[in-house]
Amino acid sequence: MVLEATMICIDNSEWMRNGDYTPSRFQAQADAVNLICGAKTQTNPENTVGILTMAGRGVRVLATPTSDLGKILGCMHGLEMGGEINIAAALQVAQLALKHRQNKHQQQRIIVFAGSPVNYDKKVLETIGKKLKKNSVALDIIDFGEEDDGKPEKLEALLAAVNNNGHSHMVHVSPGPNALSDVLLSSPVFTGDGEGGSDFAVAAAAGSASGFDFGVDPNLDPELALALRVSLEEERARQEAAARRAAEEASRQEKDEEPLSNTEDATTAKHVDIADPEENNNASDEMDDENPEEAQAMSIDISGSDLSVGDAEMTLEITEDRELILALEMSMQGGEEDHQSAAESLVSKVLKDQAAVSSILASLPGVDPDDPSVQEILASLRSHFDKKNEDDPPSEDD
C-alpha cells in the first residue's frame, strides 16, 4: 500500500453552475472528491488528504493534509462559486502545503479538477510542471467541462513536464449519462501505479454492481452504510407523517363543508331581497292587492318623508282644485232650476244690449246684423224674455 499525502484542487468558478453533468458540474465534482478522499484514507490509515479552492475569493486552503475524513468532507459544504480558476497559483500553494506535511515519508500528489478554461500559456504551465517534477510531486489532472481556447493542449503540456516514470495521469471526462465519480472509478486516479487505491476502487465498483443499498458495501464502510440507511428511514417517516396530515386535513375540510353549506343557504334566503329586485316588486304588488289601505298608508308615509318644498306646493294646489270642483258639482246637483232661470235672465240682459248683440253677430261669418230676418228674430226673442220676466218675480240672485 502506498503512503501518500494528497492535495485536491477544487474548481469553484462560475462555469461550475452549468448542468451538463448530473446534477451540475460542481455537485458532480463534489461527489468525486468525496469518493477520492474515502479511497485515499481507507487504502492506508496513515494517508492524509487536503483541500483547496482555485477560484472565488482566490486560492484558499480549506483543509491541510489530514486523515480525519469528517473534517475533509465538512469543508466542502457552503463553498462560494465565482470568478475564474488560477491554476498556476493553486499548484504552487498545494506544493507548499505538501512540503510542510508531518510525515516526510509520504509521497506527494496533487489532484486537479479543471472544469473551466485555463488562462495561462503553455510555457508558464511547463515551468510549473518542471518545478513539481524537481520536488518529486505527482500530478493527476481531471479534465471535464469546457474545452475551448486550447485547454486540452495546455494541460497535456503541463502533464508532460511533471510526469516522471508514469506516476502522473490525466483523465478526460465528457458530458454524458454516467456520473463523474463512476467514470473515475476505473481511471488511474483510483488504480494508481498498480496498488494505490486499487482495492477501494474494486470494492466500490463491486458494491455498485452487486446491488448494495446506495452503492455502498456495508462490509467495506459500515458506518457510512448505517448513516445512509438511517437517513432513508427518517425520510420515509417524514413522508408518511406528511401523508397522514394531508388525509386528516382533507377529512376535516369535508366535515366543515356541510354546516358551511347550511349557513350559505340561510344567508342566501336572508339577502334574497337584495339579490332579486323583481321578486321584491312582485311581492309588494301582492301586498297592495291584499291590503290596499295599508299599502296606501305606507305609500303616503314614504312619499311624505321624501317630498320637497315644490312637491308640497303642488299638492296644495291639487287639493284646492279638488275642493272647487266638488263645490261646483254640489251646486249643479242642488239647483238645476236656479241655474236655468239665471241663464235665461242673462240671455235677456244680453239681448237688451244692442251694441253687444251687434258685435256678436258681426263676428259670426256670413251673418249680416242689418238683415231684416235677423232683426225680426232678435225682436221676437226680446219680446219672449220680456214677457217671461214680467210673469216671474225677481229672485235674490237677480
Side-chain angles (χ1 to χ4, degrees):
M1 290 185 296
V2 178
L3 182 61
E4 281 186 339
T6 306
M7 284 296 295
I8 301 177
C9 301
I10 298 176
D11 188 349
N12 61 329
S13 62
E14 286 290 344
W15 281 267
M16 293 299 100
R17 302 181 188 275
N18 293 346
D20 49 356
Y21 292 82
T22 306
S24 65
R25 288 187 185 180
F26 185 79
Q27 189 59 45
Q29 176 185 220
D31 295 340
V33 169
N34 294 340
L35 195 61
I36 292 173
C37 292
K40 295 294 183 182
T41 55
Q42 291 191 19
T43 52
N44 194 324
E46 296 183 7
N47 283 351
T48 57
V49 181
I51 304 292
L52 65 83
T53 58
M54 296 187 294
R57 291 182 293 177
V59 177
R60 289 194 309 151
V61 177
L62 302 180
T64 55
T66 178
S67 59
D68 187 358
L69 185 60
K71 182 179 180 180
I72 298 171
L73 299 180
C75 69
M76 293 288 296
H77 296 285
L79 290 180
E80 297 179 357
M81 288 184 287
E84 300 177 352
I85 62 172
N86 190 348
I87 190 171
L91 291 174
Q92 294 175 3
V93 172
Q95 179 188 355
L96 185 62
L98 291 174
K99 183 178 180 180
H100 293 85
R101 65 191 183 280
Q102 294 180 354
N103 189 353
K104 300 301 179 179
H105 297 286
Q106 293 174 332
Q107 296 182 7
Q108 304 174 76
R109 181 175 294 274
I110 299 175
I111 300 177
V112 178
F113 284 86
S116 57
V118 178
N119 298 325
Y120 286 92
D121 295 333
K122 290 182 181 181
K123 294 182 179 180
V124 177
L125 297 178
E126 288 176 354
T127 303
I128 296 173
K130 292 177 181 179
K131 187 177 181 180
L132 295 176
K133 182 179 180 180
K134 182 179 179 180
N135 292 281
S136 301
V137 178
L139 179 64
D140 290 336
I141 302 175
I142 301 172
D143 179 21
F144 70 105
E146 302 297 325
E147 296 183 358
D148 298 335
D149 299 331
K151 174 186 171 184
E153 290 78 7
K154 294 178 182 179
L155 296 179
E156 290 287 351
L158 174 61
L159 181 65
V162 74
N163 192 13
N164 185 13
N165 297 325
H167 71 311
S168 298
H169 312 92
M170 183 172 179
V171 181
H172 297 278
V173 182
S174 301
N178 296 328
L180 182 62
S181 57
D182 294 340
V183 176
L184 295 178
L185 283 175
S186 58
S187 67
V189 176
F190 278 89
T191 58
D193 297 330
E195 293 183 1
S198 59
D199 296 338
F200 181 85
V202 172
S208 60
S210 59
F212 290 122
D213 293 338
F214 319 108
V216 178
D217 186 1
N219 298 323
L220 182 63
D221 193 350
E223 295 180 358
L224 180 59
L226 180 61
L228 294 174
R229 188 176 294 107
V230 170
S231 64
L232 178 62
E233 294 296 334
E234 291 178 355
E235 180 65 18
R236 288 177 180 174
R238 187 188 65 80
Q239 292 179 358
E240 292 177 358
R244 285 196 299 270
R245 286 195 299 269
E248 291 176 359
E249 290 178 359
S251 61
R252 189 161 50 249
Q253 289 178 358
E254 290 178 358
K255 292 180 181 179
D256 295 341
E257 284 178 358
E258 296 179 357
L260 181 61
S261 62
N262 297 333
T263 307
E264 291 178 353
D265 295 340
T267 307
T268 305
K270 182 177 180 180
H271 298 285
V272 67
D273 295 340
I274 300 174
D276 196 351
E278 294 181 358
E279 294 183 359
N280 295 337
N281 296 334
N282 296 334
S284 61
D285 295 339
E286 293 177 357
M287 184 180 68
D288 294 342
D289 296 338
E290 294 177 357
N291 299 318
E293 296 179 356
E294 294 180 2
Q296 184 177 4
M298 291 175 64
S299 63
I300 291 172
D301 294 339
I302 294 173
S303 61
S305 61
D306 296 335
L307 282 176
S308 60
V309 177
D311 296 337
E313 294 177 356
M314 185 182 297
T315 305
L316 182 60
E317 291 177 358
I318 293 171
T319 304
E320 292 177 354
D321 293 340
R322 289 179 178 177
E323 292 178 355
L324 179 59
I325 293 170
L326 182 61
L328 291 175
E329 290 178 353
M330 292 176 64
S331 63
M332 290 174 66
Q333 292 176 359
E336 293 181 356
E337 296 179 355
D338 295 338
H339 284 292
Q340 187 176 1
S341 61
E344 292 177 354
S345 62
L346 180 60
V347 170
S348 64
K349 290 180 181 180
V350 171
L351 292 174
K352 290 179 180 180
D353 190 353
Q354 296 293 335
V357 171
S358 299
S359 63
I360 291 172
L361 294 176
S363 63
L364 296 176
V367 178
D368 186 9
D370 299 331
D371 190 0
S373 60
V374 173
Q375 294 296 331
E376 184 179 358
I377 293 172
L378 290 176
S380 63
L381 289 174
R382 289 192 190 97
S383 62
H384 172 73
F385 283 107
D386 291 340
K387 183 178 180 179
K388 188 173 183 178
N389 290 334
E390 290 177 359
D391 295 339
D392 295 335
S395 62
E396 294 179 1
D397 295 336
D398 296 337

